[in-house]
Amino acid sequence: MKTEQLNSANALIKIKLDNSVIDERKRVVAKRIAKNAKVDGFRKGKVPLAIVEKIYKETIDKEAVDELIKEEYEAGVKELNIKEDDIVGEPVFTKFERGENKLKAHIKLSLKPKVEIEGYEELIPEVELPKISAEEIEEKIAEYAKNSAEPTKSDKETVENGDIAVIDFEGFIDGKEMENGMADNYPLEIGSNSFIPGFEEQIIGMKVGEEKEIKVTFPEQYHAKEIAGKEATFKVKLKEIQEKKAPEIDDELAKKLLQMEDATVETLKDEIKKELITVKKIELYQPKKEELVEKLVAKFKFDLPDSIVEKETEIVLNEKASKLSEEEIKEITSNEKKLNKLKDEAKTEAEEKVRLTFIVDELAKKENVVVDDNQVLQVLYFEAMRAGQDAEKLLGKVDYSMTENKQKSRRFSRSLYVSKDIKKGDIFTEENIRSVRPGYGLH
């Protein structure tokens, strides 16, 4: 076995096994299997070794090779002086040859790179911290209170903006039924803008039991390209009108919204203020975000783990392909020059994203950014409230044992980093500069 440190983020373990070594291990494995082998005509554990080797030939060979490679791999990791926590992603076989006399295998390891970000403070823009008024806090609390309310049947005769219209609808394009364009008893909140532009406005004024045809045009940039820009007709029937009556703003509501037993209205106001500050910080920072990310990626250079870059490249390619039409995909795949160009662009973008991930991770360590489980749950709850979803049902699906799943905690915690105190106007945070997916097995 030989090892090679390719660079600070990649290493190679070269394994060579003579057949004599494999045969010796196969005999060991065969004897182990023979102890529990069951073959008709023989008592358990009394099957002749030659018969066991014949019956379990493939299993014996596989186990023997697997054991030897594992041992060589572990010895290689030790020789390279690599800690288990330093490995990111899965080890990859870059070579596996089984010849007449020997087996050759190369295993490539991707490692956490050594990231030095000295001088990052120079890149941080100066901004003035936003101020939040008491009126803004009250408005946001009222909004969350309304969103937390359960819809109840209304005595109204006609639909108004803000009501929930329970409708049956069926969509048609060019006289043909739309795929997935039909639903019964659908609760549509008027004014939520969750449907195609122009749809909700035409529901206003409808009476319970009334049937109506609604005509709308799908946006040119609609995600389903086959219907983008097309006019559709929906047959709609109003089944019921519902309303959300906001609960009283008191300590009980605060406990519900914050998921904290000792929460009070004052606690809620403090948390809402933090949230509003966060939103304003992001708004202030957004115009500077792209420029700062470019500066970070350009300033701090270090080796990247190849397997992570390869995986990210695949993801970027898939994202790019999803935005292309079938004709564009055919044109690119049939043109080697264009295909290679697309791959090169995807790899460059992937490298920048992976580099940014490690930079951000190091920034979080430098600034002691830590997020606990309770903060994660609070953010999830607020996000559900903002979207008008049932927060308690949503949280019921979340695995709360974050400490047992660091990756999940890391994923949820992205939106929290911005609420932490960071230098230079509290603007330089992970949420602000992070536009790539979290993870890569860093934690």
Side-chain angles (χ1 to χ4, degrees), residues 231-401:
E231 185 178 277
T233 299
F234 285 87
K235 292 181 179 179
V236 180
K237 181 177 181 179
L238 179 62
K239 306 285 285 294
E240 183 176 287
I241 300 173
Q242 296 178 349
E243 291 181 275
K244 281 186 176 181
K245 293 184 178 179
E248 186 178 347
I249 297 173
D250 54 17
D251 291 351
E252 289 305 311
L253 177 65
K255 290 174 184 177
K256 179 180 179 181
L257 292 179
L258 295 177
Q259 294 289 289
M260 293 167 55
E261 287 298 321
D262 57 348
T264 65
V265 173
E266 290 306 312
T267 312
L268 179 60
K269 287 181 179 180
D270 289 341
E271 292 301 323
I272 294 293
K273 183 177 181 179
K274 291 177 186 175
E275 184 203 354
L276 291 173
I277 288 175
T278 294
V279 172
K280 289 195 175 184
K281 286 175 189 172
I282 293 173
E283 289 173 355
L284 282 170
Y285 177 80
Q286 204 62 32
K288 306 173 187 292
K289 178 178 179 178
E290 188 174 337
E291 180 186 350
L292 178 55
V293 167
E294 287 177 1
K295 286 181 178 179
L296 281 169
V297 173
K299 183 176 178 66
F300 303 116
K301 299 296 184 183
F302 46 86
D303 298 323
L304 298 176
D306 291 342
S307 67
I308 302 303
V309 171
E310 288 167 10
K311 287 180 181 179
E312 189 67 32
T313 301
E314 282 184 28
I315 292 168
V316 172
L317 271 173
N318 288 333
E319 288 174 350
K320 288 181 179 292
S322 69
K323 297 174 184 176
L324 299 173
S325 65
E326 288 186 19
E327 290 75 16
E328 289 172 323
I329 291 174
K330 286 180 182 177
E331 182 184 349
I332 290 172
T333 52
S334 61
N335 187 314
E336 187 176 352
K337 188 176 180 180
K338 288 185 177 180
L339 182 59
N340 288 335
K341 182 183 177 183
L342 182 65
K343 287 180 178 179
D344 289 342
E345 289 173 354
K347 185 178 180 182
T348 299
E349 188 176 329
E351 287 175 341
E352 290 179 355
K353 287 188 173 186
V354 174
R355 189 180 307 282
L356 184 59
T357 297
F358 287 107
I359 291 172
V360 166
D361 198 62
E362 188 63 23
L363 281 169
K365 293 175 187 174
K366 291 270 188 185
E367 299 291 348
N368 296 315
V369 177
V370 180
V371 180
D372 62 35
D373 295 352
N374 191 50
Q375 289 174 302
V376 172
L377 296 179
Q378 283 184 31
V379 166
L380 287 175
Y381 205 96
F382 276 134
E383 288 299 322
M385 290 293 99
R386 181 185 290 141
Q389 298 178 7
D390 188 325
E392 291 181 351
K393 285 184 180 178
L394 175 66
L395 292 185
K397 297 177 182 179
V398 175
D399 178 5
Y400 295 162
S401 56

Side-chain angles (χ1 to χ4, degrees), residues 54-71:
K54 183 177 180 180
I55 295 174
Y56 296 98
K57 181 180 179 180
E58 290 184 3
T59 301
I60 292 169
D61 184 76
K62 183 179 183 306
E63 287 190 17
V65 171
D66 286 351
E67 286 179 8
L68 288 167
I69 287 179
K70 183 183 177 184
E71 289 169 8

